[in-house]
Structures are given as C-alpha cells and as structure tokens.
Amino acid sequence: MVHHLSPVIRLNLGAGNQPYVGYTGVDMSGWAADVKHDLTTPLPFADNTVDEIFASHVVEHFPLWQIQKLLLDWHRALKPGGLFWGLVPDGPEVAKRYLEAVEQKDWGIKRICIANFCGGYTNNEFIGDGQIHYAVYDQDMLTEVLGNGRFHPILVTPVHRGPMDYALLFACGKGVYPPLRIQDTGVYPGVPWRRPWWDGEVKE
C-alpha cells in the first residue's frame, strides 16, 4: 500500500523503539514503527512526496551492494530539495580506539569497538540479524556511497558526543539544495525530540 500523508512527511527509518516528535517511524517492528515495513524493499510512499528522511545508525546495517539500491529508492520518494540525513559509526575513530585498547589490553573498550564495527549486540546470541553491521564508513566512503545513491552530500562530518560515542553525521539534498544552508550557516540538523512512549505527548 502506498501511503499519502500530509501536509509534511518526515520519516524516521529503522525507528525500532526510538520515536521522534513529528516523524513517522518506518520499521519491521518496534513500538515506534508507525508504518510496518521491511526496509530492504521499496518505501511505500509515492515519488517525490517525502519532505525529510532521517536514518540514525541504519545505513551501516546493509551491505554496500544493497544500500545503493535502497538509497536510490529513498531518493525516489524524497521531494526535490528534500533533506536526507542521519548518522553512522565513525570507522576511523573507532579503529583508533580499538588499537589503543589492544595496546592497553582493555577488554571492555575492545568489546565496545567490536560492537561498533560488527553490530550493537554482538555479545547477545538472541538478537536478530537486523543488528548486524555490514559496512564500516569513513568520510570519503560515506560521501561516495551517498553520491552513488544520487544524493547531493551537503555535509559529512564527525560528531563525537561522548566517550565511545563516535559517529559521522551526514546530510544530503535531492537535486539543488538552496542555499547549502547547513554548510553556510553552521546550523546542523539536531536529533529530533523523542516522542514519549507512554502517551504520545512531549513532557516539559
């Protein structure tokens, strides 16, 4: 079924249990999945109808051959001038921390780094294949992959928000993205407000 929502469509791909105010969650499962959908298949939205696509730690969960096909479909659904943005693990920074942990024989940090490379729950035998990471990205690799998906990368930059929280933030436009506002103004996309699970209303 093709979804036609209005007036503004903002998608949170791979939402799982992470809902955000103003975003429609799209995922196979999880209470944040407003639209139940397998992300390996084309999005159930008509061409040029989606205003914004947010994908937090989603892109790395697909092999390179597969993510290229998916990006082309996400590009199809996005409106001209629409925004596609999100986060992936920062491969070089995680690798640096891993090598330091090897030198220091710090098993705890090594385990966190391995989880960043291989998937968030590598020490849990009951977690499904959906948590596996199939790719490691640096800035150049991510820029190339996004470009091959027909996106215009506006921004690909490291965002290190705390100890062992190393990510690359990316933002892309579809077609011309006037006036490259993210680079020119320094106004970066911020993580949307979490949508509380208990009643769907934001608590001050």
Side-chain angles (χ1 to χ4, degrees):
M1 182 177 78
V2 173
H3 291 263
H4 298 275
L5 306 178
S6 62
V8 177
I9 304 176
R10 295 186 177 95
L11 302 182
N12 172 19
L13 299 188
N17 295 326
Q18 298 287 326
Y20 295 105
V21 173
Y23 288 76
T24 298
V26 182
D27 208 340
M28 282 281 287
S29 60
W31 47 261
D34 304 300
V35 176
K36 302 291 185 183
H37 177 73
D38 181 354
L39 289 179
T40 64
T41 64
L43 290 176
F45 296 89
D47 297 0
N48 305 309
T49 58
V50 176
D51 296 271
E52 181 181 330
I53 295 176
F54 173 55
S56 178
H57 293 281
V58 172
V59 171
E60 70 273 15
H61 287 271
F62 300 97
L64 291 177
W65 65 266
Q66 190 174 47
I67 194 60
Q68 300 289 200
K69 296 179 180 180
L70 299 179
L71 287 171
L72 288 170
D73 181 68
W74 301 350
H75 184 277
R76 169 199 63 76
L78 198 65
K79 290 180 179 178
L83 178 66
F84 169 50
W85 69 286
L87 300 150
V88 300
D90 183 346
E93 189 64 30
V94 175
K96 175 184 174 183
R97 299 301 176 185
Y98 176 75
L99 292 175
E100 289 175 353
V102 170
E103 182 71 22
Q104 297 165 6
K105 302 186 184 303
D106 188 331
W107 168 242
I109 298 300
K110 283 198 295 183
R111 185 171 64 179
I112 293 172
C113 292
I114 291 169
N116 269 273
F117 281 131
C118 302
Y121 301 94
T122 54
N123 61 337
N124 187 336
E125 65 181 299
F126 300 107
I127 224 67
D129 290 344
Q131 290 296 336
I132 295 173
H133 291 182
Y134 288 94
V136 176
Y137 289 99
D138 56 35
Q139 287 174 270
D140 291 338
M141 184 72 166
L142 183 57
T143 299
E144 178 182 346
V145 167
L146 293 169
N148 289 341
R150 298 184 64 192
F151 284 105
H152 169 58
I154 300 164
L155 174 77
V156 178
T157 188
V159 176
H160 301 158
R161 296 171 292 187
M164 299 312 300
D165 185 2
Y166 305 117
L168 293 174
L169 170 68
F170 67 87
C172 304
K174 177 174 179 176
V176 177
Y177 194 78
L180 292 182
R181 64 182 185 221
I182 293 173
Q183 281 184 329
D184 294 346
T185 69
V187 177
Y188 299 103
V191 174
W193 286 102
R194 281 288 303 277
R195 189 177 75 222
W197 61 268
W198 53 89
D199 61 4
E201 296 181 1
V202 178
K203 298 294 185 182
E204 298 296 338

